[in-house]
Amino acid sequence: MAKAKKYRCLNFGNCDKAGKKEQFEIPEGGELKCPECGSEMIQEVKASNTMMIAIIVAAVVAIAVAAFALTRGSDNEEAPAQEPVVEEVVEEAPATDQAVDSTATAEAARQQAIADSIAAAEAEALAKAREDSVKAAEEAAKAKGNTPAAPSNYLTNARCQYGLYTGPAVNGKPGGGLGTVKVQGSHSIDLRNARKETIDVNSGDIILNAKFSDGRLVSGLVKFANGQARQFNAGV
């Protein structure tokens, strides 16, 4: 029986399995395509070593407990009986609601940061696949002796408010889908919410899954130069 490997689809926006981050199996030698949308933009899911580490840790703890029990048993046989010691029990003050809320907020922020980093990696892979597809079409045209014409509904490194935009276009402007912005200079993205929040971006940062409406950036995922990431929806 052929061994199967697990994969995920990266065709976000066009495939339900990609949107739900569902995994599927493809036997070795099988056609590397998503069974839902037929896209070749798939990624192998590597097996995690978490379970093996947990088993090793559990085994080490069990050995340590057994050794401690044997030592205590030996000490109890040799040592004379002692009067029981009555220890004073000091009750700890219960955690305040504020401390609990602070811990929950910190954990939520940590989980969101992890989710944003994973989403940034997936979005970057998808953006690379889109650019490679456009380049492949251009190379194919050159190979046939034709002069590749830039599609009217796609822009490559076109100047926009925050830097250079690559992706779908409407009437020569960013729009009609998700693109990528390579930030140049320093800018503040107005999130247009009640808290009047902004996101500061600088040269070296990248805005993935950038969505424009009427020439205005309305959503995206900022991958900062330091590796951190943050999703945003302007006006929400």
Side-chain angles (χ1 to χ4, degrees):
M1 180 180 294
K3 184 178 179 181
K5 294 183 178 180
K6 292 185 177 181
Y7 295 84
R8 288 188 302 178
C9 182
L10 300 179
N11 191 14
F12 296 99
N14 299 309
C15 177
D16 289 341
K17 284 187 178 294
K20 297 177 181 179
K21 299 183 180 179
E22 291 184 2
Q23 299 180 9
F24 52 86
E25 294 186 348
I26 299 178
E28 286 189 352
E31 191 173 11
L32 298 179
K33 289 185 177 181
C34 174
E36 178 75 17
C37 65
S39 171
E40 296 181 354
M41 292 189 295
I42 62 176
Q43 179 183 53
E44 182 180 348
V45 179
K46 301 295 184 179
S48 173
N49 293 326
T50 303
M51 183 62 72
M52 182 61 69
I53 294 173
I55 293 174
I56 294 174
V57 171
V60 172
V61 171
I63 293 173
V65 171
F68 178 74
L70 290 174
T71 303
R72 288 296 302 272
S74 176
D75 292 343
N76 290 338
E77 291 178 0
E78 297 176 359
Q82 297 181 356
E83 292 294 330
V85 178
V86 179
E87 297 182 356
E88 182 180 357
V89 178
V90 179
E91 295 185 359
E92 296 183 358
T96 63
D97 292 341
Q98 184 177 2
V100 173
D101 291 343
S102 177
T103 301
T105 301
E107 177 61 19
R110 188 182 73 85
Q111 293 293 340
Q112 185 61 50
I114 294 174
D116 287 347
S117 296
I118 294 174
E122 293 175 344
E124 194 167 18
L126 180 58
K128 180 67 165 55
R130 289 170 178 160
E131 292 182 15
D132 289 346
S133 177
V134 173
K135 290 179 181 178
E138 293 176 349
E139 292 297 328
K142 290 180 181 179
K144 293 179 180 179
N146 300 326
T147 300
S152 59
N153 62 343
Y154 195 89
L155 298 175
T156 301
N157 289 331
R159 177 69 60 181
C160 71
Q161 179 181 357
Y162 301 100
L164 300 179
Y165 171 83
T166 297
V170 176
N171 297 327
K173 296 181 179 180
L178 304 180
T180 302
V181 177
K182 297 177 182 178
V183 179
Q184 292 187 330
S186 298
H187 307 273
S188 289
I189 302 174
D190 186 359
L191 300 188
R192 298 173 180 266
N193 57 24
R195 297 184 295 275
K196 298 182 178 180
E197 291 180 301
T198 60
I199 298 178
D200 293 330
V201 294
N202 300 280
S203 297
D205 297 338
I206 301 175
I207 305 175
L208 301 163
N209 287 347
K211 182 177 181 181
F212 286 79
S213 177
D214 296 328
R216 181 175 71 86
L217 181 64
V218 295
S219 66
L221 194 159
V222 179
K223 182 179 181 182
F224 298 99
N226 63 4
Q228 295 181 345
R230 181 179 176 184
Q231 292 182 323
F232 68 90
N233 287 288
V236 178

